[in-house]
Amino acid sequence: LPAGLSQWFPALEVLDVSGTGLTEMGTELLSLPCLHTLLAKNNRLGGPGSLPKGLGQAPLARSLRVLNLSGNRFSEVPPALLQLRELRSLSLGGNRLHSIPPDIQELQSLEFLYLGGNFITAIPPELAKLPSLRYLVLCDNKIQSIPPQLAQLHSLRSLSLHNNLLTYLPREILNLVHLEELSLRGNPLVVRFVRDLTYNPPSLQELAGRTVKTRNIPYAPSDLPDSLVRYLSLASNCPNPKCGGVYFDSCVRQIKFVDFCGKYRLPLMHYLCSPECSSPYSSASQSSTSQSESDSEDEASVAAHRMQKVLLG
């Protein structure tokens, strides 16, 4: 960037240096107190020193609202960007990112996050701690699963997950009450059904915890060590309405299709407390499975009425 930029344009609000072959942005940026939009797409940024030191403490950190660094060479999200606490829009598409740092949760004002066209394999649960996020673009990556915590993104309007490696969706995705657009095309879940019934036998601690919970055995915090009190508070209810059981760490992962938008059947992940809950040889289990699937379809039907676009192909 040219020297003296802040002296020539002290009130500069928008700066577009896209497609200029930049390999670094100098310290002149730091003294632009009015800059709210910085576009630096399609350059060669990404090496050491690409961003000026002290970015998080500069006046720019308080004024910047929109930052677009798509089409560069970043292999990780620069830690300095996570100090731009007033950012509303961050674009890092078409870089070389392999992960999303958990500290992404520091960008509490973020409304738009574009990370498409990278090599990201997993979504950290911390991403769900962005209360204002409305548009999340993670298309064209290598993501294999969606953390159920993503359902905490109550402001989310659009979720783009096309062209990844998803084979199922967490049941909790139906809790995204404001979601209007969900893009899933180009994922294995659209063309094949995956079932996983791996089950690790419960530990003695879990068996005891299940007994305490299912039989409503009374206890007070003073009766047990703090670690056991915390453990008992982590019990999850089995979604099988005929079961009434609970589980802690040991559960059956089961993928089931549910109707969506009256046209598609999406595989959603369910967690059951034991293999008996899904066994076809138990009449009670059989009826409960049918009931559970019916309940899931009802939930999906509600979600379908809410959705405006579900892009599967």
Side-chain angles (χ1 to χ4, degrees):
L1 295 179
L5 183 65
S6 59
Q7 296 177 356
W8 299 338
F9 306 104
L12 189 66
E13 296 183 355
V14 179
L15 177 61
D16 188 349
V17 290
S18 301
T20 56
L22 277 180
T23 58
E24 63 180 58
M25 290 188 285
T27 55
E28 286 298 319
L29 274 179
L30 304 182
S31 50
L32 292 172
C34 300
L35 191 69
H36 60 70
T37 300
L38 174 57
L39 309 177
K41 302 179 292 181
N42 305 323
N43 284 299
R44 291 181 289 172
L45 300 168
S50 291
L51 302 178
K53 293 181 179 180
L55 182 61
Q57 289 73 43
L60 181 67
R62 295 184 289 275
S63 65
L64 200 61
R65 300 293 185 271
V66 178
L67 177 60
N68 192 325
L69 295 173
S70 291
N72 280 284
R73 301 177 179 180
F74 290 101
S75 58
E76 62 178 16
V77 177
L81 297 189
L82 304 178
Q83 299 179 40
L84 303 176
R85 305 296 169 82
E86 301 302 320
L87 269 187
R88 303 290 192 273
S89 174
L90 174 61
S91 299
L92 279 164
N95 276 275
R96 302 171 181 177
L97 305 179
H98 285 79
S99 63
I100 304 172
D103 285 346
I104 194 77
Q105 65 181 312
E106 300 298 329
L107 301 180
Q108 289 287 291
S109 299
L110 206 61
E111 299 177 4
F112 177 90
L113 179 60
Y114 189 103
L115 297 173
N118 283 287
F119 303 97
I120 297 167
T121 57
I123 303 172
E126 289 81 2
L127 187 62
K129 297 180 180 180
L130 297 176
S132 303
L133 196 64
R134 295 165 60 90
Y135 300 92
L136 176 57
V137 182
L138 295 168
C139 60
D140 299 293
N141 278 287
K142 299 181 182 298
I143 298 168
Q144 299 183 39
S145 64
I146 304 299
Q149 290 88 348
L150 226 59
Q152 299 169 19
L153 291 173
H154 299 303
S155 298
L156 202 63
R157 298 293 193 276
S158 178
L159 177 58
S160 296
L161 294 167
H162 52 274
N163 299 330
N164 276 286
L165 301 175
L166 297 171
T167 54
Y168 67 88
L169 297 175
R171 176 188 177 121
E172 289 82 359
I173 197 118
L174 299 177
N175 295 330
L176 291 172
V177 296
H178 295 296
L179 197 64
E180 297 173 353
E181 180 173 301
L182 174 63
S183 179
L184 294 169
R185 65 183 184 275
N187 280 283
L189 66 82
V190 178
V191 296
R192 66 187 173 100
F193 171 73
V194 179
R195 184 180 177 89
D196 184 357
L197 284 177
T198 57
Y199 180 67
N200 295 319
S203 64
L204 291 177
Q205 177 174 299
E206 172 143 354
L207 289 173
R210 290 187 181 195
T211 300
V212 169
K213 285 295 186 178
T214 56
R215 297 188 180 181
N216 293 318
I217 297 175
Y219 66 91
S222 58
D223 299 332
L224 300 170
D226 291 343
S227 59
L228 289 182
V229 173
R230 286 194 298 270
Y231 181 79
L232 289 170
S233 70
L234 298 176
S236 298
N237 293 322
C238 182
N240 185 337
K242 300 291 185 180
C243 173
V246 300
Y247 63 88
F248 293 85
D249 303 310
S250 180
C251 61
V252 174
R253 298 172 67 226
Q254 184 185 55
I255 300 174
K256 297 167 59 178
F257 277 128
V258 299
D259 285 339
F260 206 86
C261 292
K263 182 177 181 181
Y264 301 103
R265 289 178 68 77
L266 294 185
L268 299 185
M269 180 65 79
H270 294 251
Y271 297 90
L272 302 173
C273 67
S274 70
E276 286 73 21
C277 280
S278 58
S279 171
Y281 301 106
S282 166
S283 58
S285 174
Q286 198 168 17
S287 62
S288 67
T289 300
S290 173
Q291 179 66 40
S292 178
E293 183 165 350
S294 174
D295 292 345
S296 297
E297 289 175 355
D298 288 344
E299 291 180 65
S301 176
V302 171
H305 289 299
R306 191 173 64 237
M307 295 280 185
Q308 294 180 5
K309 288 184 181 179
V310 179
L311 307 176
L312 294 170

